[in-house]
Amino acid sequence: AAAEVPPPDPILEGGSSPEERQASFLELALCLAGGLPDAALDPLFAACKQHVLGGSSLLQKRSYRVLAYLAASRPQWLAAHLAQVLELLLLGSAAALSPAKRYRLRCLQPLILLLDSTPCPPLGGLVDAATGTELVPGGAALAAAAAAVAGRSEQQAAEQRRVALAQLLVGELVLATKEVNKKTRTAAYQLIVDIAHELDDARPLSLNLGDGLNPTGADSDAELSSDDMDYADDVRAASKRGGKGRPAAKQASGGLLDFVTAVMGGLAGGSPHMQSAAVLALARLSFEFAGQLESVVGRLLPAVLLLLRSQSREVIKAVLGFIKVRCRVQECRGLESLQKWCVWAVCYSYCKVRCKQWRAHQLMVYRHGW
């Protein structure tokens, strides 16, 4: 009679099931990847690809940890395989499971930093050619940026792809601040701050004399109503520093400002979930970079405070949280416009939101003696 086959040893073979053994082998490969040349990393990337596009949460966690190492610690390999990595992450966004999103966010930081200075390569598989439906979220915008347009050079097309893709990745990072998992939310906030610091170090914020705070030179009040225009004027007047020999209006440029502008794109999101996430991310950035963003807060406040007219409690609570942050970092003479909109919110908001609004009032009184 044939001898009985002993059951697999969970310790010696890495687990009692095929899934656990695959996860153990991926973890072992990650430990050994530091001694491998760049040419030997392609099989490791291929092994992670199938789990990123669909698989259990355990295998997705391990796969994203490996991809985060390849993206953060192997810059030469990432530069050579940038298009493949971007396509994989875009296609895997819909299949990402909640327990694995914290590890997925670690892959976004090196990509966002790399796209700040590297042209975006052509990407395929974003839109179904037959039906025109998006295969990945935001695929239509990327496909439109990559489409051939008469009179546009390849350099201009690459720049448009880079901007569209960077905004898409930043949007995913911002939306992660509303995840159910607390560790994912904490990681998202920390990554937002870390990316802003690195972009600010790479391209410091520079202020130049100009006619206004809008870098495009366009009138930022062109599409506002008369009440909104009065409010925007109050905010700008409150945010001007004034003083002898100091200009009241400046134009700003730099990596931090570009990142803040990309985060502000979420304020125009189609869902209250995205709008509130963008407001919370802007509140965190305005607190972390209070000194650097002081000169551009005039552009930030009107866009955020106008959301107090939203019918969504989630958005209003996020804006009131933003006001509380501004109360802590802004000078007393710049809070009149915030007080005006807090009074407006208490009249038209839900009861639970009114409690947050009264806390903002108390903070103004305790901190600035109103």
Side-chain angles (χ1 to χ4, degrees):
E4 295 183 0
V5 178
D9 191 325
I11 298 179
L12 297 179
E13 299 192 18
S16 57
S17 65
E19 177 182 330
E20 293 179 354
R21 286 194 289 272
Q22 291 182 40
S24 299
F25 293 152
L26 282 175
E27 189 72 23
L28 179 60
L30 177 59
C31 296
L32 299 176
L36 296 177
D38 291 344
L41 297 177
D42 293 343
L44 186 58
F45 175 73
C48 299
K49 185 175 182 179
Q50 57 179 337
H51 303 305
V52 170
L53 298 178
S56 64
S57 60
L58 178 61
L59 293 177
Q60 276 197 359
K61 287 180 183 179
R62 297 296 188 272
S63 299
Y64 278 123
R65 288 186 62 183
V66 173
L67 290 178
Y69 165 77
L70 296 178
S73 302
R74 294 302 186 96
Q76 296 181 354
W77 181 91
L78 179 62
H81 299 78
L82 181 58
Q84 301 177 26
V85 175
L86 290 174
E87 290 179 5
L88 177 60
L89 290 179
L90 291 176
L91 293 174
S93 60
L97 301 176
S98 180
K101 287 187 177 181
R102 175 163 58 101
Y103 302 93
R104 175 182 169 84
L105 295 180
R106 298 178 184 178
C107 304
L108 300 182
Q109 180 179 3
L111 292 176
I112 294 175
L113 296 175
L114 182 61
L115 289 174
D116 184 62
S117 58
T118 304
C120 179
L123 302 176
L126 303 177
V127 179
D128 190 352
T131 61
T133 58
E134 291 184 348
L135 299 179
V136 299
L142 290 176
V149 178
R152 187 179 66 172
S153 63
E154 178 61 28
Q155 184 178 3
Q156 294 174 339
E159 178 64 18
Q160 292 186 4
R161 287 196 303 266
R162 184 191 67 82
V163 173
L165 184 57
Q167 291 178 347
L168 184 61
L169 296 180
V170 171
E172 180 179 353
L173 183 59
V174 169
L175 197 59
T177 60
K178 302 289 289 185
E179 279 290 328
V180 179
N181 190 297
K182 181 180 179 180
K183 292 183 179 180
T184 303
R185 296 196 305 268
T186 304
Y189 280 116
Q190 187 60 45
L191 286 175
I192 288 175
V193 173
D194 292 344
I195 291 174
H197 274 294
E198 294 197 33
L199 290 176
D200 189 35
D201 293 339
R203 292 189 292 122
L205 193 66
S206 61
L207 301 176
N208 303 316
L209 298 182
D211 297 330
L213 291 172
N214 193 344
T216 60
D219 187 2
S220 59
D221 297 330
E223 298 181 359
L224 297 178
S225 62
S226 58
D227 294 338
D228 298 338
M229 292 174 65
D230 294 339
Y231 159 68
D233 292 338
D234 294 340
V235 171
R236 291 192 184 92
S239 63
K240 292 177 181 178
R241 299 290 298 161
K244 297 180 61 176
R246 294 192 61 183
K250 297 181 179 181
Q251 289 182 341
S253 62
L256 176 60
L257 181 61
D258 292 343
F259 184 68
V260 172
T261 303
V263 175
M264 286 183 64
L267 299 179
S271 64
H273 199 63
M274 183 62 190
Q275 292 177 345
S276 61
V279 172
L280 293 176
L282 289 173
R284 183 67 179 89
L285 289 173
S286 64
F287 180 81
E288 184 73 19
F289 300 93
Q292 294 94 319
L293 296 179
E294 185 178 5
S295 59
V296 296
V297 73
R299 291 179 51 228
L300 183 62
L301 283 176
V304 174
L305 297 185
L306 285 178
L307 291 177
L308 280 174
R309 296 180 174 179
S310 172
Q311 299 298 319
S312 173
R313 178 189 301 183
E314 181 182 11
V315 175
I316 295 177
K317 289 175 65 176
V319 175
L320 291 177
F322 178 87
I323 292 176
K324 292 171 64 177
V325 172
R326 292 306 309 167
C327 291
R328 293 183 180 276
V329 300
Q330 191 167 342
E331 294 184 359
C332 180
R333 58 182 175 182
L335 296 178
E336 289 82 0
S337 58
L338 298 180
Q339 178 77 1
K340 166 186 173 181
W341 278 77
C342 281
V343 172
W344 184 91
V346 77
C347 299
Y348 296 95
S349 302
Y350 301 97
C351 293
K352 291 184 178 180
V353 178
R354 292 178 185 177
C355 295
K356 292 178 67 68
Q357 189 270 342
W358 284 121
R359 293 192 189 100
H361 275 295
Q362 292 174 359
L363 183 60
M364 292 180 187
V365 173
Y366 294 157
R367 189 172 179 83
H368 303 290
W370 284 11

